[in-house]
Amino acid sequence: MEYIEEYLKYLLIEKKYSDNTIKSYKNDLNELYDYNKNIINLNKKDILNFIDKNKDKNSKTLAHFITTFRSFYKYLERENIIKENPILNISQPKITKTLPKVLSVEDIDKILDIKLVTKQDYRNKAMLELMYSTGIRISELINIKMHELNINNCTLKVMGKGSKERIIPIGDYALNYLNIYLNEYRQQFIKKNTDYVFLNPSGNRLSRQSFFKVIKKIAHDKNIKTEFSPHTLRHSFATHMLENGADLRTIQELLGHSDVSTTQIYTNVSNKFVEDNYKDYHPHS
């Protein structure tokens, strides 16, 4: 385990990977360690046996295993801990691409239409409106700090994947409820000095798990049938922007994608949406 811990420190300090990325690498390596604790002496056959043992998992998970192990053994090789890299000639499985889940504008309106009574309601409303207005990831949302909000310029500065900074405009709806939360309710959460915008009742930064539970309950209460997660709001933001005429490059910049090919999947989602609507509503379809 000491080699795994040293490797994770390397990812944090030298590679400057995010906490979530490091956690995912750690989980993969722990699975390999549980499979065979003699982790530094594994050979190609051992790795292939591990992959075969996990063949019931989806292609994306298996590909992530390969990526993690390749990086880990490359690190061990560079540190002269091992002489031969056991994963050098193992190729990644072909990832099965699936279209992201997207809500209709009507379902988004249902999600955003929550009853505002408690301070948590106003916080949740501000978070939901901000997510749909900007398309930010949940990890970016919960890590927003006060100095990253520019209310006067209606913009938000976020630090995305790979420590890439981007400036995103905030729409009027989100800005309105953000102002209400900041001016009237955020102070009620504060128990100690903090710069985080969205807080839990203990005065700490709201966790992604807590917000996930919040939106899952809202979706359930609103009888939303589509599989729903925080990322669904991001996918819906991009798809609705595209359907309303936004340029693909603009959406790429707003989402923080390094390659426009990643953003192009929303073209397929939009086309599928049109096709489904045609089948549902055309009298001769």
Side-chain angles (χ1 to χ4, degrees), residues 123-124 127 142 198-200 204-208 210-211:
R123 178 203 62 197
N124 297 341
M127 295 180 79
I142 62 172
F198 298 111
L199 308 173
N200 64 21
N204 298 315
R205 184 199 68 170
L206 187 72
S207 70
R208 59 189 298 151
S210 296
F211 188 58

Side-chain angles (χ1 to χ4, degrees), residues 127-142:
M127 295 180 79
L128 287 166
E129 289 283 359
L130 190 59
M131 278 198 86
Y132 182 59
S133 176
T134 59
I136 57 177
R137 303 173 178 92
I138 186 172
S139 57
E140 295 167 342
L141 177 76
I142 62 172

Side-chain angles (χ1 to χ4, degrees), residues 4 64 87 96 105 126 135-136 160 179 238 266:
I4 294 177
H64 197 276
I87 202 167
T96 305
V105 174
I136 57 177
N179 270 319
Y266 295 109

Side-chain angles (χ1 to χ4, degrees), residues 33-189:
Y33 183 77
D34 289 340
Y35 170 73
N36 190 326
K37 290 182 170 50
N38 192 17
I39 199 167
I40 63 168
N41 292 314
L42 298 186
N43 56 37
K44 182 178 179 179
K45 185 179 179 181
D46 295 323
I47 300 293
L48 289 174
N49 285 340
F50 172 84
I51 297 296
D52 186 63
K53 181 175 176 288
N54 288 275
K55 62 185 177 183
D56 57 323
K57 296 182 178 177
N58 64 49
S59 58
K60 194 171 182 180
T61 299
L62 296 179
H64 197 276
F65 279 143
I66 299 297
T67 298
T68 299
F69 302 159
R70 184 172 288 137
S71 174
F72 175 64
Y73 283 110
K74 186 176 179 182
Y75 164 81
L76 294 181
E77 198 174 27
R78 189 170 56 250
E79 295 295 314
N80 294 318
I81 297 167
I82 61 172
K83 291 184 178 180
E84 292 186 14
N85 189 331
I87 202 167
L88 195 61
N89 296 313
I90 298 178
S91 58
Q92 286 187 324
K94 187 175 181 180
I95 297 176
T96 305
K97 289 188 177 181
T98 56
L99 294 180
K101 301 292 184 183
V102 171
L103 295 180
S104 66
V105 174
E106 291 75 19
D107 280 347
I108 286 288
D109 287 341
K110 287 180 186 177
I111 292 287
L112 297 178
D113 184 24
I114 60 175
K115 191 175 181 180
L116 300 175
V117 179
T118 67
K119 62 183 180 181
Q120 283 93 343
D121 294 332
Y122 282 93
R123 178 203 62 197
N124 297 341
K125 174 69 171 174
M127 295 180 79
L128 287 166
E129 289 283 359
L130 190 59
M131 278 198 86
Y132 182 59
S133 176
T134 59
I136 57 177
R137 303 173 178 92
I138 186 172
S139 57
E140 295 167 342
L141 177 76
I142 62 172
N143 283 301
I144 296 172
K145 295 185 177 178
M146 291 296 294
H147 69 271
E148 293 170 332
L149 282 172
N150 191 324
I151 300 298
N152 292 331
N153 287 341
C154 309
T155 57
L156 166 67
K157 180 169 70 176
V158 296
M159 190 68 72
K161 287 186 176 180
S163 300
K164 291 179 181 177
E165 184 181 284
R166 66 189 193 279
I167 306 294
I168 310 172
I170 305 173
D172 290 341
Y173 281 97
L175 200 62
N176 176 51
Y177 287 102
L178 195 55
N179 270 319
I180 293 172
Y181 166 71
L182 292 176
N183 295 329
E184 301 179 33
Y185 295 97
R186 181 176 177 271
Q187 190 63 35
Q188 297 179 30
F189 286 94

